[in-house]
Amino acid sequence: MNKLKEVLTIPENRLDRKYFLLLILVAFIFSMVVRYIWVSDFSGVEQFKWNNELMINTNDGYYWAEGARDILAGHHQENDLSPILTPAAELTALLAKIIPVSFETLILWLPGILGSLLVLPIMLIARLLRQDLLGFFAAMLGAIAWSYYNRTMIGYYDTDMLIIVLPTLTVWAVMYALKRDSSIAMLLAPTFAIASMYWHAGTTNVIIGTFLITFFYMIIFERKNLYYYKFLAVFVLVLTTLPIWIKPLLIVALISLFLLAKERLTDKIVMGITIVSFIIYIIFGGFEWIVGILHNAYLTRGLVAAELDMTSLKFFGVVNTVREAGHIPFETFANRISGSVFGFWLSTFGYILLLVRYRIMLLTLPMVALGFFALQGGLRFTVFAVPFMALGGMSLIFIMAKYIGLFFNEKSKKYAQYAVIILFAGMIIYPNIKHVQLYKVPTVFMKDEVKVLAKLGEMASREDYVVSWWDYGYPIRYYADVKTLVDGGKHAGISNFPVAFELTSNQVAAANMARLDVEFTEKSFKEPCGASIECMLKAYKAKNPNDFLNALNDKNLQRPAKTRDIYFFLPNRMMNIYPTVNMFSNIDLLSGKQGARPFFFMSQNFKDENNKIILSNAVSLDKKTAEVTIGKQKVKLNYYVHTYYDKNGVYKADIQKVQTNQPGVSAIFMEAHGQFLIVDERVMNSLYFRLFVLEQYDKDLFEKVISSPYAKVYKLKI
Ligand code: MN
């Protein structure tokens, strides 16, 4: 073993503190320069800008932005779902007060800057191994590695910006504390661990994993080392479920005790303190955690089945539409962690050697294991392995350089070694830069859509509701400061059902449902009655949900009193997902069976040839016979619609009746959008089509308040 360790030993490389700090800065700047590629690609695109700044590119970012905005404003509305108490919103609001840039600039750059801080723990961990230069190269790789970049790029304003930085700092701090053997060093690990768990509760398992591995590390290698007992006595307090202000008090008190009573603390007393600490953990949280693990392992299946049997209504789940990677191909997995398959193998092999050579690196295993869990649990986990796999890859390169140096004389040895390091480091870093160049993520919304929302914000009160699909919930709330029924966090089938119903039903049923949905949503905050649809069914004493839904076709339905205004935000971008939206309401609530799919076909790539409009290989429209060919089927055309903006910029929809005797389809050419649609009667009569596409709406029910090619807004009159 010692022989092997000698073989794997890389010559020490330790820099003065000031040069080390300089290298941290260089790695950080490198990470920012790579991230700047996205900014420079899009800084000329006017549609991606708002308030003279590029907009963010992640939907969830608007959630934190809403919270930060409200903290800064000092007010928000009851039950508006604004996340004012979340760390992400708090941190953003705090920084907005300190840093003299616009709010838009702040949230655009924050993820890039905080994400790039990953270079710090990577280089600090390497410094513990006395490998400063190795740490520098690993930091450059880790900070821009494929999956880590995707989730910390500029504009990707989400909790991801610290979700790896904080646990990695924790792992470093644990290693540092164990190496330094001083009570003061003990303070850092709990601090980062608490910060990490506060920032995102999801990192709790990483912290618990780090604690457990430290515990076993002690049991195996350091049973007689009193310092380890002290450290674990302190660190275990982090994991308790005690209030966040009690934990630091306990931790500081315990560390002070260790410092002050240094000599007087006999082995037995330290052991006693450690046991007391562990018991505190078992009482406050530990027991729950262990039960939780057992529960998950053995009981979940039975429980879920029982719950499903108890609920009588069945909804369509978002999981059915989101293609969650259950099983991901190996190449994708490797790319996400290291940028290339070559880089991945180099890193894996190097990481194993690192574990063999430096035992303390075992403490990084929980995070790496969680990253590898991605092969089972889905892509989002890969990031956890990134920092340590980067260290692994670079250490293998440094070991190779050491042996290649043997072929050169003393004078040229150094140059040869650096050449090898730079060549191979470049080879594994470069695919990640290539990925950044190709990863052209658009902003969430276009400027013209935001204009509509800003205008809507001016006319709507903060208590008013805006009905739209959940994908647009957070941006709507951020730009228009209103309430929404569904959003990126509230989109279970039971919440989506009424909204999908409002967007895809006929105007009367949609209008009734919108009023009921809003009033019962507000009511449920005051007297819990379940989701709004459940509240409605209870309030109307409906025996059968289908009868209730049919009753909504009555314009004179008895509705609860109107407490506020309701607006419909109908963007053109919803056209692509219309069939998906429809699935959520096109379901029998008793049996859970999907209804027959409406016919919907959209093409933005159609050709006008002689007498035919060819929409795709399978779908075409014969202008002479007024027939639509769909595969081998021929269907009669009912209506031909041409929508456009006239000379005065007024939206027009020319509707030409072709035949109405038989069931058929309608063709719609939306000139301003360059899109051609073939839809059936049901889709033609839906609220979205009547209001957005045809502007042929019931004036008793709706009032058009904003119209642009990108999005239209209607106000509900009932
Ligand atoms: Mn609000």
Side-chain angles (χ1 to χ4, degrees), residues 69 114 122 160 228 241 257 278 305 332 348 365 367 406 408 477 495 504 515 554-555 619 680 685 687 713:
R69 178 201 67 200
L114 294 184
I122 293 179
D160 288 344
Y228 274 67
T241 47
L257 176 72
F278 275 57
T332 312
T348 307
L365 263 177
M367 274 184 78
L406 298 179
F408 294 85
R477 293 221 300 268
S495 311
T504 64
R515 178 53 67 196
D554 179 2
K555 234 180 184 175
V619 183
D680 68 13
N685 285 325
L687 174 133
V713 177

Side-chain angles (χ1 to χ4, degrees), residues 2 22 41 96 102 162 171 178 203 217 245 306 312 337 364 366 456-457 515 527 602 631 704:
N2 280 338
L22 189 69
D41 277 349
S102 75
L162 284 177
V171 170
L178 297 184
T203 61
Y217 187 88
W245 56 274
S312 53
I337 289 183
T364 67
L456 170 58
R515 178 53 67 196
E527 8 177 324
M602 175 181 175
K704 186 170 77 175

Side-chain angles (χ1 to χ4, degrees), residues 66 69-70 77 80 481-482:
E66 178 193 22
R69 178 201 67 200
D70 289 345
Q77 291 64 53
D80 64 0
D481 199 354
V482 287

Side-chain angles (χ1 to χ4, degrees), residues 35 115 118 141-153 156 160-161 163-164 328 331-340 344 371-372 374 378-387 389 431-433 435-436 439:
R35 279 170 171 74
L118 186 63
L141 172 59
I144 62 152
W146 197 301
S147 58
Y148 188 67
Y149 170 79
N150 287 2
R151 287 173 57 176
T152 56
M153 63 188 288
Y156 201 88
D160 288 344
M161 56 194 171
I163 221 162
I164 303 303
I328 58 173
E331 195 186 334
T332 312
F333 170 76
N335 282 340
R336 302 271 306 190
I337 289 183
S338 303
S340 60
F344 175 79
F372 276 68
L379 284 176
R380 66 209 168 96
F381 290 105
T382 52
V383 273
F384 285 94
V386 162
M389 292 292 276
N432 295 288
I433 299 177
H435 161 70
V436 171
Y439 196 61

Side-chain angles (χ1 to χ4, degrees), residues 3 43 65 85-86 132 135 162 215 223 328 337 353 485 573 629 640 675:
K3 182 89 186 157
S43 58
L85 296 176
T86 54
D132 290 352
L162 284 177
F215 179 73
R223 263 183 310 265
I328 58 173
I337 289 183
L353 297 183
L485 293 161
R573 67 165 67 226
T629 308
Y640 180 81
Q675 61 202 21

